[in-house]
Amino acid sequence: MPAVSKGDGMRGLAVFISDIRNCKSKEAEIKRINKELANIRSKFKGDKALDGYSKKKYVCKLLFIFLLGHDIDFGHMEAVNLLSSNRYTEKQIGYLFISVLVNSNSELIRLINNAIKNDLASRNPTFMGLALHCIASVGSREMAEAFAGEIPKVLVAGDTMDSVKQSAALCLLRLYRTSSDLVPMGDWTSRVVHLLNDQHLGVVTAATSLITTLAQKNPEEFKTSVSLAVSRLSRIVTSASTDLQDYTYYFVPAPWLSVKLLRLLQCYPPPDPAVRGRLTECLETILNKAQEPPKSKKVQHSNAKNAVLFEAISLIIHHDSEPNLLVRACNQLGQFLQHRETNLRYLALESMCTLASSEFSHEAVKTHIETVINALKTERDVSVRQRAVDLLYAMCDRSNAPQIVAEMLSYLETADYSIREEIVLKVAILAEKYAVDYTWYVDTILNLIRIAGDYVSEEVWYRVIQIVINRDDVQGYAAKTVFEALQAPACHENLVKVGGYILGEFGNLIAGDPRSSPLIQFNLLHSKFHLCSVPTRALLLSTYIKFVNLFPEVKPTIQDVLRSDSQLRNADVELQQRAVEYLRLSTVASTDILATVLEEMPPFPERESSILAKLKKKKGPSTVTDLEDTKRERSVDVNGGPEPAPASTSAMSTPSPSADLLGLGAAPPAPAGPPPSSGSGGLLVDVFSDSASAVAPLAPGSEDNFARFVCKNNGVLFENQLLQIGLKSEFRQNLGRMFIFYGNKTSTQFLNFTPTLICSDDLQPHLNLQTKPVDPTVEGGAQVQQVVNIECVSDFTEAPVLSIQFRYGGTFQNVSVQLPITLNKFFQPTEMASQDFFQRWKQLSNPQQEVQNIFKAKHPMDTEVTKAKIIGFGSALLEEVDPNPANFVGAGIIHTKTTQIGCLLRLEPNLQAQMYRLTLRTSKEAVSQRLCELLSAQF
Amino acid sequence: MSWDEFGECMRFMLLFSRQGKLRLQKWYLATSDKERKKMVRELMQVVLARKPKMCSFLEWRDLKVVYKRYASLYFCCAIEGQDNELITLELIHRYVELLDKYFGSVCELDIIFNFEKAYFILDEFLMGGDVQDTSKKSVLKAIEQADLLQEEDESPRSVLEEMGLA
């Protein structure tokens, strides 16, 4: 029976709830519910009109059933009817039902909106409160459209009751979050800022929430809130614990408001000196209070006090400008590291992570290393240990890397499964980043594989191979070490992969030692063969053929293995094909050819570690990667790491088996080739011939390569089995020059080789391209070059198409790719100060001048990479302009023959959501549009 | 889901029992029914598996979860990465105090039988995931006023009528 039934009399509801609770089984409960649903349905459908009370009761029952986890598909209309009741309780239940059950795209919104409109106009504060609550709960676009204009008026009207003001502020905040474009800025904003001075602390609290969110998007408009917030905060922190009466929480004056004010201040850079002094005083007071004896033993007291303290520390870190405060904050957190409250230890570890990245406090953070290592060993809660790992990672530098890496490795032996992979990635990154001695690096990674082989992802072992291949000082050591590691009777398959790869490349460096003679190396690897999965076996087969080249003396042994039925007739097509082809290669090819085909791997181009990318991704929002992402990541890896031979089956279908042998997906960029052989008066290429109909459909994948060239000028634009097209280009003002290199990858000549540049009718008036024809014959293995002179006449959107036709063997080949000549190539960077930037930004506030795009990050969100891309895009990267240091701001001028167009851009990453917002402002809509499109595709 | 929905605010609040029965749920960001059920199930499992002395915060999906157990009930809030964990913990406590004050040493049964009241109190306290008023007095005054209104306009009824038998 009901324990309490206060001020209420829906006994039918209480009886129903009791019945449900008395049900002995799930089936009985469902039966009872179905009976009730049938009853309610018949009441709602019945001829007899229901009175308000019954309607309320039934709607309330439906709500209860819904909260039990059952679906409710009727009753919405009755709930909407309750909204127009004059009885408060009926209205209240109606609104509750709607806020719990109606989602934002319901068809009923129009009816609901009508009821809300009436209640807002009623001037009855209780009704207004209910209506505002409902708007905030549903918060749909339709609601924003209907009320976003109205609510600011309610908020700032002189005669609005305080409680309604509070509701209105938070309601507006919610609408702003869902549909900021529908909330008009205007005179009301300055009046909202002044609510920070309101007498009623409840109003101030609600207003601060609203202002904080508005200020994030419109920092200029709400700049005056800074000094008001500081003085409010100062009044709170200096007040005696009883001054604020009901807003004092366990002897802490207004903790919620304090936290919110400190948060608001984090939207801005450190304020002007006058205000700054006062703020520093506040922050010092907060830090001092932490040292005072507690006014109460209750945990609520210390929690509230420390909530304010942590927020103050966040602000100190955000400003990152007062070394004194930073070090004090660090010391305070150091005390918390040893606190008996788990919560505080957790938060201290978390906060210190951000402190570690400030140059002022990095050293101070490092002094706590022993405590943090101890936490890793003794904390009983995995989420706390996780924070300790994060902090060790953040505080790591060259001086303490060996210790931290060693501790992480030893922790890994017993670490929770849930965090092993992340620790593996972190160790791998630190070992690489701080390796002075690459033998240490190799040892560390092999240890990783030994301790936690299952958690070592492909990125990690690709990377160790990349590094060994690029650094010849470590190759002998690596070969010796993997050879020794492979001696273990049971070793992880990842070790076999690394061992197979390294010995295949560098086994010769240790073959002089009779203990690791070629035959011993081979036998050792082959003893693991049968225990391995297909991809590893495929990799080992490649190692064997490399051995044939390195060590002619083991050739017969290896040929025997390749020739065995278990290889040649293997059920797996990949293994079978490798065995057949390698056996054939070892038989037919001369030593010279073999040596050329199986030449040592060329160094990998230096680029961002794919492990780092992986860690960033792991730390990102969705732990569940969808297929699309995985695919994308894969395609990145093709360029970022040595795609192991086994993974690329498509390459096996190339005419020559050599293509796959080296197991390298990344092709080195085309070197500058010899000048085109002159003479033989080849075909004249008509650059502007309108031969679009004869053009082949754009080559698959060319879109991707195209996007890659938006921020860079050199590289491989296109490659298939026959042809490689490389580019080198330079641009100055409105002119440019592009060198196109056509490489014949086959041993047969290309005849009638005709590249054509095509500008569509739309593009032609805006872009001038001039070039000379190339020699129509391209010898096998040769490369020819073509120069294109470019002139940008006026801004343009489309890209020209490069269409190539030639005869190869008996067949006619046709390739078309978009040529990456894009508007941003004619950018000249412009440096400017913050003030100038915002002044210009404001001048370009006409809606047609601004184009904005919000999109999901397609690549890991890395600050350095983003900076490089913005610079590569051509604009200047302006530091210390945006109040939020996480944002990027750029400026530049697009040069065309006819005019120059100033461009401002702002990129706001949201790591949490893995999204970006890009805003472009230029004097010309089409330019804003095109630049926004181009740049959006880069992240 | 638009960018702006990712502002700093509480995403949702759940009350559930030791036995994994959901007693109250409040969502501050439009979430589909299916997704809600999935999240509730998943999060309950995670929280119920935790031991008593563990810390009150955990990372879950892309959110931070702040929870506290009061007798048989777990109170659980999901907030954004930048939000203040400790103040959220006290927000839970303040809500429990409000319930306690209103019902007079509140227990799980009060919340089961008067779930609508539990919602009304929460709504007076939080709106759209943000604190509306932290003063206990203000919140309770608002609720009591509403109760008064209720008593005024409730006409007396016979017991039979109440039970739907009239």
Side-chain angles (χ1 to χ4, degrees):
Chain A
M1 280 312 290
V4 179
S5 178
K6 196 164 170 172
D8 180 80
M10 286 190 284
R11 277 192 211 104
L13 175 65
V15 169
F16 173 58
I17 295 176
S18 292
D19 279 2
I20 295 289
R21 286 179 54 75
N22 290 335
C23 286
K24 295 277 182 286
S25 65
K26 192 81 198 163
E27 289 72 35
E29 183 185 310
I30 290 172
K31 214 173 140 197
R32 178 69 185 88
I33 285 169
N34 284 338
K35 187 178 146 204
E36 194 63 39
L37 286 175
N39 174 41
I40 300 173
R41 213 177 250 125
S42 74
K43 295 281 184 203
F44 283 169
K45 276 200 188 139
D47 311 329
K48 216 177 86 188
L50 288 176
D51 60 9
Y53 171 79
S54 309
K55 246 188 242 169
K56 175 182 89 168
K57 185 176 68 184
Y58 293 130
V59 164
C60 215
K61 280 183 181 177
L62 287 179
L63 194 53
F64 181 76
I65 294 170
F66 174 78
L67 292 171
L68 284 175
H70 300 267
D71 293 330
I72 295 296
D73 54 6
F74 69 103
H76 299 71
M77 206 51 202
E78 284 72 13
V80 173
N81 283 338
L82 285 177
L83 299 184
S84 34
S85 164
N86 280 325
R87 293 179 174 225
Y88 178 72
T89 57
E90 289 168 15
K91 199 186 269 294
Q92 195 184 22
I93 293 288
Y95 274 124
L96 177 61
F97 182 92
I98 282 159
S99 65
V100 173
L101 258 114
V102 173
N103 48 31
S104 41
N105 45 21
S106 164
E107 298 144 16
L108 293 169
I109 290 286
R110 213 171 37 83
L111 290 171
I112 298 169
N113 279 359
N114 264 336
I116 292 175
K117 211 165 274 169
N118 290 335
D119 281 334
L120 279 183
S122 71
R123 327 270 305 143
N124 172 337
T126 343
F127 287 7
M128 288 171 90
L130 286 178
L132 289 168
H133 254 291
C134 184
I135 300 173
S137 289
V138 180
S140 67
R141 244 190 119 68
E142 287 95 328
M143 281 204 175
E145 270 161 12
F147 302 109
E150 191 58 32
I151 295 168
K153 288 181 207 150
V154 176
L155 176 59
V156 297
D159 56 348
T160 305
M161 303 248 309
D162 286 337
S163 66
V164 177
K165 265 189 206 166
Q166 289 166 267
S167 303
L170 295 180
C171 180
L172 188 56
L173 167 55
R174 170 63 203 263
L175 292 186
Y176 190 77
R177 277 182 185 140
T178 43
S179 331
S180 60
D181 55 317
L182 294 178
V183 178
M185 294 291 133
D187 295 344
W188 62 273
T189 54
S190 60
R191 301 180 63 178
V192 166
V193 171
H194 282 278
L195 288 178
L196 289 174
N197 273 334
D198 202 279
Q199 298 222 309
H200 190 288
L201 283 189
V203 172
V204 184
T205 311
T208 311
S209 299
L210 174 63
I211 294 168
T212 304
T213 302
L214 294 174
Q216 281 166 359
K217 267 203 170 179
N218 317 278
E220 275 300 297
E221 207 125 29
F222 291 88
K223 221 165 54 182
T224 45
S225 65
V226 172
S227 60
L228 291 179
V230 170
S231 57
R232 189 94 224 188
L233 182 69
S234 158
R235 267 178 283 160
I236 295 171
V237 296
T238 53
S239 66
S241 53
T242 49
D243 284 358
L244 304 178
Q245 295 162 1
D246 214 25
Y247 289 90
T248 297
Y249 179 84
Y250 290 87
F251 303 101
V252 182
W256 276 276
L257 180 52
S258 307
V259 166
K260 282 180 186 300
L261 290 168
L262 287 162
R263 174 123 303 237
L264 167 58
L265 293 171
Q266 287 172 60
C267 301
Y268 289 93
D272 307 330
V275 182
R276 191 167 176 173
R278 196 155 179 205
L279 176 60
T280 305
E281 267 170 42
C282 285
L283 295 171
E284 277 168 349
T285 311
I286 294 170
L287 285 166
N288 290 341
K289 279 190 177 173
Q291 299 300 326
E292 289 170 10
K295 293 196 176 68
S296 154
K297 285 216 169 71
K298 289 243 166 66
V299 68
Q300 282 77 27
H301 170 69
S302 81
N303 279 350
K305 195 163 110 178
N306 292 327
V308 178
L309 177 62
F310 275 106
E311 205 60 56
I313 291 176
S314 292
L315 179 62
I316 293 170
I317 298 172
H318 170 80
H319 283 169
D320 196 15
S321 58
E322 300 265 357
N324 177 31
L325 287 176
L326 281 161
V327 170
R328 278 195 71 184
C330 185
N331 293 340
Q332 180 61 54
L333 294 176
Q335 283 180 23
F336 284 152
L337 285 182
Q338 320 220 31
H339 203 279
R340 60 188 166 78
E341 278 275 330
T342 317
N343 287 346
L344 287 181
R345 295 198 302 274
Y346 176 97
L347 295 175
L349 289 166
E350 188 182 59
S351 255
M352 263 203 186
C353 267
T354 38
L355 265 184
S357 57
S358 162
E359 53 169 325
F360 299 117
S361 48
H362 182 79
E363 287 303 316
V365 170
K366 273 167 64 187
T367 59
H368 299 287
I369 185 166
E370 296 303 332
T371 319
V372 182
I373 287 172
N374 196 38
L376 196 59
K377 291 177 175 158
T378 56
E379 282 291 349
R380 280 187 293 177
D381 185 344
V382 55
S383 35
V384 186
R385 290 196 296 271
Q386 165 89 63
R387 289 285 84 83
V389 172
D390 288 350
L391 179 53
L392 283 178
Y393 179 75
M395 67 161 71
C396 192
D397 61 19
R398 209 170 284 283
S399 73
N400 55 20
Q403 185 189 8
I404 286 178
V405 166
E407 290 295 347
M408 282 188 168
L409 272 175
S410 84
Y411 173 58
L412 193 54
E413 309 231 18
T414 53
D416 311 72
Y417 297 115
S418 56
I419 60 175
R420 278 194 187 186
E421 188 183 354
E422 199 184 313
I423 298 177
V424 167
L425 292 174
K426 286 186 161 148
V427 169
I429 291 167
L430 294 178
E432 178 187 336
K433 195 165 168 193
Y434 297 115
V436 186
D437 172 5
Y438 276 86
T439 60
W440 174 70
Y441 169 75
V442 169
D443 287 340
T444 305
I445 302 295
L446 291 182
N447 261 330
L448 266 187
I449 296 175
R450 185 178 56 75
I451 297 168
D454 285 344
Y455 298 88
V456 172
S457 57
E458 292 185 331
E459 286 82 357
V460 173
W461 75 261
Y462 290 178
R463 189 68 185 165
V464 69
I465 286 171
Q466 261 184 21
I467 286 179
V468 170
I469 285 178
N470 285 13
R471 304 197 59 97
D472 44 18
D473 53 335
V474 79
Q475 289 160 356
Y477 180 80
K480 181 166 158 284
T481 317
V482 289
F483 177 78
E484 277 159 13
L486 283 168
Q487 306 284 343
C491 48
H492 196 274
E493 188 163 336
N494 277 335
L495 182 67
V496 180
K497 288 180 189 163
V498 175
Y501 207 104
I502 288 184
L503 291 179
E505 291 292 324
F506 309 113
N508 54 328
L509 299 177
I510 57 168
D513 186 331
R515 284 166 302 178
S516 51
S517 71
L519 191 60
I520 295 178
Q521 284 186 40
F522 172 74
N523 285 337
L524 181 61
L525 283 176
H526 199 54
S527 69
K528 316 283 181 196
F529 187 91
H530 303 279
L531 302 169
C532 291
S533 61
V534 169
T536 310
R537 288 191 202 185
L539 185 149
L540 286 177
L541 289 179
S542 296
T543 303
Y544 298 168
I545 189 70
K546 291 179 194 171
F547 273 7
V548 169
N549 172 45
L550 290 177
F551 316 121
E553 65 267 39
V554 294
K555 182 168 160 182
T557 321
I558 288 174
Q559 283 178 327
D560 282 347
V561 168
L562 292 176
R563 203 176 286 124
S564 71
D565 274 1
S566 63
Q567 307 299 350
L568 277 188
R569 298 184 179 201
N570 195 295
D572 185 272
V573 66
E574 175 75 32
L575 292 180
Q576 190 186 91
Q577 186 163 5
R578 282 188 192 222
V580 172
E581 288 177 357
Y582 292 165
L583 180 60
R584 192 84 192 120
L585 182 67
S586 72
T587 332
V588 224
S590 69
T591 27
D592 283 358
I593 290 181
L594 209 56
T596 315
V597 170
L598 298 165
E599 200 178 351
E600 197 174 289
M601 294 284 290
F604 288 90
E606 283 302 331
R607 60 188 86 202
E608 188 197 25
S609 154
S610 51
I611 314 178
L612 203 57
K614 167 133 184 165
L615 182 68
K616 279 176 202 146
K617 196 174 176 66
K618 231 183 121 53
K619 283 302 214 174
S622 53
T623 34
V624 209
T625 28
D626 65 46
L627 197 67
E628 210 39 48
D629 280 352
T630 326
K631 269 203 291 207
R632 255 187 239 118
E633 192 169 55
R634 228 167 222 298
S635 69
V636 168
D637 274 339
V638 171
N639 287 285
E643 185 78 347
S648 55
T649 41
S650 60
M652 290 306 284
S653 57
T654 49
S656 147
S658 70
D660 185 42
L661 281 187
L662 304 177
L664 172 64
S677 46
S678 53
S680 80
L683 251 91
L684 205 73
V685 180
D686 180 5
V687 176
F688 297 121
S689 73
D690 191 8
S691 57
S693 55
V695 172
L698 287 182
S702 68
E703 195 77 37
D704 291 352
N705 276 340
F706 177 81
R708 222 176 278 160
F709 278 88
V710 169
C711 292
K712 64 171 195 173
N713 288 329
N714 306 329
V716 177
L717 176 65
F718 171 84
E719 183 159 27
N720 66 9
Q721 295 163 19
L722 309 175
L723 176 69
Q724 186 191 56
I725 305 174
L727 294 183
K728 258 190 158 180
S729 40
E730 47 189 358
F731 295 87
R732 169 164 291 178
Q733 304 208 319
N734 71 319
L735 300 176
R737 176 180 296 169
M738 180 177 269
F739 296 84
I740 309 177
F741 303 99
Y742 305 98
N744 180 346
K745 290 170 64 181
T746 71
S747 49
T748 319
Q749 22 171 237
F750 293 161
L751 296 171
N752 299 348
F753 188 78
T754 324
T756 317
L757 291 166
I758 302 160
C759 288
S760 70
D761 290 343
D762 284 339
L763 180 57
Q764 214 169 313
H766 306 293
L767 192 67
N768 260 328
L769 300 181
Q770 309 221 318
T771 187
K772 292 205 178 89
V774 298
D775 193 304
T777 308
V778 184
E779 294 298 337
Q783 192 180 54
V784 298
Q785 174 191 312
Q786 185 178 28
V787 187
V788 184
N789 288 318
I790 307 158
E791 186 189 30
C792 174
V793 180
S794 56
D795 67 282
F796 61 98
T797 303
E798 279 177 53
V801 172
L802 173 64
S803 167
I804 301 147
Q805 294 163 334
F806 59 94
R807 292 183 85 81
Y808 166 71
T811 58
F812 202 68
Q813 303 286 329
N814 222 337
V815 171
S816 277
V817 286
Q818 277 192 300
L819 209 54
I821 299 172
T822 46
L823 185 54
N824 65 297
K825 299 291 179 194
F826 306 97
F827 237 140
Q828 292 285 303
T830 318
E831 293 291 341
M832 58 177 85
S834 174
Q835 214 179 353
D836 298 336
F837 181 85
F838 281 111
Q839 196 187 349
R840 283 172 211 206
W841 184 262
K842 268 198 185 151
Q843 285 164 358
L844 295 171
S845 56
N846 195 323
Q848 290 92 17
Q849 297 171 331
E850 181 188 277
V851 173
Q852 192 171 79
N853 188 15
I854 293 168
F855 53 95
K856 265 229 160 300
K858 291 180 288 287
H859 303 289
M861 299 176 78
D862 179 283
T863 310
E864 291 311 313
V865 174
T866 307
K867 282 185 181 166
K869 280 183 179 164
I870 291 175
I871 293 169
F873 191 64
S875 81
L877 181 72
L878 305 179
E879 307 271 4
E880 289 172 10
V881 166
D882 200 296
N884 180 349
N887 294 344
F888 304 91
V889 169
I893 295 168
I894 296 278
H895 289 258
T896 71
K897 189 179 178 187
T898 46
T899 176
Q900 299 188 354
I901 304 150
C903 309
L904 303 176
L905 68 90
R906 183 174 189 207
L907 179 72
E908 299 158 274
N910 182 336
L911 278 175
Q912 207 72 40
Q914 288 284 299
M915 291 180 82
Y916 289 99
R917 179 168 61 200
L918 175 65
T919 314
L920 251 299
R921 285 191 180 181
T922 77
S923 50
K924 198 164 175 191
E925 190 179 11
V927 174
S928 303
Q929 191 69 50
R930 180 59 180 157
L931 292 178
C932 186
E933 245 170 58
L934 286 167
L935 191 55
S936 297
Q938 296 300 311
F939 300 103
Chain B
M1 208 182 275
S2 86
W3 168 276
D4 303 294
E5 281 180 309
F6 289 100
E8 287 153 22
C9 74
M10 190 183 292
R11 290 283 195 87
F12 58 83
M13 186 184 212
L14 303 178
L15 262 69
F16 52 86
S17 71
R18 184 82 203 102
Q19 289 74 35
K21 291 243 186 220
L22 188 59
R23 295 303 180 202
L24 183 142
Q25 49 174 322
K26 185 80 193 179
W27 298 79
Y28 294 109
L29 188 71
T31 317
S32 76
D33 220 35
K34 202 174 142 200
E35 183 64 11
R36 284 183 186 187
K37 281 185 180 162
K38 197 170 149 223
M39 287 170 89
V40 167
R41 212 179 324 124
E42 213 176 283
L43 186 58
M44 277 204 291
Q45 253 179 15
V46 173
V47 171
L48 289 173
R50 291 178 61 86
K51 299 192 183 72
K53 286 273 170 172
M54 285 188 166
C55 95
S56 314
F57 320 124
L58 55 112
E59 281 184 343
W60 179 74
R61 296 191 174 195
D62 54 337
L63 297 171
K64 272 196 297 206
V65 170
V66 176
Y67 73 95
K68 188 161 179 182
R69 181 177 167 182
Y70 289 87
S72 59
L73 270 190
Y74 282 89
F75 290 69
C76 192
C77 293
I79 55 176
E80 309 264 333
Q82 295 297 307
D83 287 347
N84 191 308
E85 292 97 338
L86 282 174
I87 206 74
T88 309
L89 197 59
E90 289 320 295
L91 192 115
I92 291 176
H93 187 76
R94 181 43 50 111
Y95 179 48
V96 174
E97 282 183 350
L98 289 167
L99 291 172
D100 202 60
K101 193 92 178 169
Y102 181 80
F103 288 109
S105 42
V106 66
C107 66
E108 193 182 339
L109 281 182
D110 294 323
I111 294 171
I112 297 173
F113 280 99
N114 302 286
F115 68 95
E116 80 282 11
K117 289 282 181 236
Y119 272 102
F120 296 151
I121 295 171
L122 184 61
D123 282 350
E124 279 301 329
F125 181 40
L126 296 181
M127 179 161 167
D130 259 301
V131 189
Q132 180 160 224
D133 205 324
T134 61
S135 154
K136 214 167 13 175
K137 273 190 205 139
S138 305
V139 175
L140 288 172
K141 209 170 80 191
I143 295 288
E144 271 154 23
Q145 264 174 355
D147 276 346
L148 272 172
L149 278 175
Q150 179 159 308
E151 270 150 25
E152 275 164 21
D153 60 29
E154 209 97 296
S155 50
R157 284 162 184 277
S158 78
V159 177
L160 284 180
E161 210 179 349
E162 279 299 334
M163 301 185 69
L165 299 171

